[in-house]
Amino acid sequence: MAINLWEAKRLADQNSSEHARQTALHDNLTDRAQRSEGALSTAHKHAYEKLLIPFAEIFARIKHVDLSDLPTIDTVPELKAIDVDLRRVSNTAVQTLTTLAGGSAIGAAAGGLTFAGVGAFAAASTGTAISSLSGAAATSATLAWLGGGSIASGGMGVAGGTAVLGGVVAIPVALVLVGFVHIKGKKELQEQRRIEIQLRTSAAELRVSMARVEAASTTMHRASIVLHRLTELSTPLLEELDHLVGEQGDYLAYTDVERALVAELAGTATAASAVIASPLLDADGEVVDEAVSAIDAVETLADRIAA
């Protein structure tokens, strides 16, 4: 009996230390995932407000032109590296914004299209009016709407699909009180051995989650950086287009160089929208290849603009 008591006490202390280690690691993974999501959400909104909306509002003022008529693929060859379906969804999102900015839907007025304005009449994939949501939920719902709806409804979903991370890191760490409260010899020793097995299993699951969170966080960081970079690089081009439209609003009167500017910015907006509309993770928490390809393409585009 004495041997069982001593062994049970030793194993209980060991389990308690291991449980504390795993709990701290789990909390660190969750914190990292949340910070990555927050940074990406900020990048999404920045690109939306400083690139997509300004382009939509300027483009809406140009007469005798449609996005589908522009040679965006020829002008922005980086778009060819983006998945065809994703490119289609992104182009639709940009077209929707330009339509709204032009005032032909729900009375939206040029110069007044905001993130909140889109949410005023759009509905989330659940059927809930986006205007009734707030905070991150409203941002996610609006971005999902721009991306063609949630993944579940057949759309591309919120850029990154980052809600999946909640499931990635929420693994079943042993939630058993392992303190040495009352030893009952052999029975308690068996219980501590059972807990030890649970902890070994959860440790293995944590290692898998660490790899997934590392990959997801790295991808989200890349997406955040390139969206911020592309947005900033586009600012002088947007100013140039705004000046052009202010002097001449008829696309038919534009020179080839001026038409190329319009197509370049249309392609840039579509590329940014592709990163926003692309789910970064699949249902298993693995990084989606199409998302990585979109990020690669936009990084190449940003490098070309900066050159």
Side-chain angles (χ1 to χ4, degrees), residues 179-303:
F180 184 70
V181 179
H182 181 62
I183 291 296
K184 296 181 180 178
K186 184 177 181 180
K187 182 178 180 181
E188 181 63 20
L189 179 58
Q190 291 175 341
E191 175 64 14
Q192 291 301 327
R193 285 173 175 168
R194 184 186 68 80
I195 294 173
E196 182 182 30
I197 293 172
Q198 284 186 328
L199 288 170
R200 287 177 181 172
T201 300
S202 60
E205 292 173 338
L206 269 173
R207 286 192 292 272
V208 173
S209 287
M210 286 177 65
R212 285 178 174 171
V213 171
E214 174 68 27
S217 295
T218 298
T219 304
M220 283 190 281
H221 179 70
R222 286 185 62 202
S224 300
I225 293 299
V226 76
L227 280 174
H228 278 296
R229 186 170 177 232
L230 189 64
T231 299
E232 296 308 313
L233 288 170
S234 298
T235 298
L237 297 178
L238 287 167
E239 292 174 351
E240 184 179 349
L241 181 62
D242 186 39
H243 179 73
L244 170 63
V245 176
E247 291 191 338
Q248 173 57 266
D250 190 347
Y251 181 79
L252 297 179
Y254 288 178
T255 65
D256 289 342
V257 172
E258 291 168 338
R259 292 186 179 191
L261 173 63
V262 178
E264 175 84 8
L265 278 168
T268 299
T270 300
S273 182
V275 175
I276 290 176
S278 176
L280 296 186
L281 308 176
D282 61 21
D284 296 321
E286 301 290 345
V287 174
V288 177
D289 290 340
E290 288 79 4
V292 175
S293 296
I295 294 171
D296 289 342
V298 175
E299 286 177 339
T300 302
L301 172 59
D303 289 340

Side-chain angles (χ1 to χ4, degrees), residues 100-213:
L100 296 176
S104 60
I106 322 296
L113 185 58
T114 64
F115 203 86
V118 172
F121 66 89
S125 56
T126 58
T128 303
I130 294 177
S131 58
S132 68
L133 303 176
S134 62
T139 300
S140 296
T142 302
L143 290 171
W145 177 78
L146 288 173
S150 70
I151 297 173
S153 67
M156 297 305 294
V158 178
T162 50
V164 177
L165 272 182
V168 172
V169 297
I171 64 174
V173 177
L175 300 177
V176 181
L177 188 61
V178 294
F180 184 70
V181 179
H182 181 62
I183 291 296
K184 296 181 180 178
K186 184 177 181 180
K187 182 178 180 181
E188 181 63 20
L189 179 58
Q190 291 175 341
E191 175 64 14
Q192 291 301 327
R193 285 173 175 168
R194 184 186 68 80
I195 294 173
E196 182 182 30
I197 293 172
Q198 284 186 328
L199 288 170
R200 287 177 181 172
T201 300
S202 60
E205 292 173 338
L206 269 173
R207 286 192 292 272
V208 173
S209 287
M210 286 177 65
R212 285 178 174 171
V213 171

Side-chain angles (χ1 to χ4, degrees), residues 66-77 79 251 259-260 262-264 266-267:
D66 188 271
L67 279 176
S68 60
D69 297 330
L70 296 175
T72 53
I73 295 292
D74 295 332
T75 309
V76 184
L79 288 174
Y251 181 79
R259 292 186 179 191
V262 178
E264 175 84 8

Side-chain angles (χ1 to χ4, degrees), residues 52 55-56 59 67 88-100 146 265-274:
L52 299 183
F55 170 74
F59 187 84
L67 279 176
R88 175 184 54 78
V89 169
S90 302
N91 186 60
T92 299
V94 175
Q95 286 182 322
T96 299
L97 290 177
T98 59
T99 299
L100 296 176
L146 288 173
L265 278 168
T268 299
T270 300
S273 182

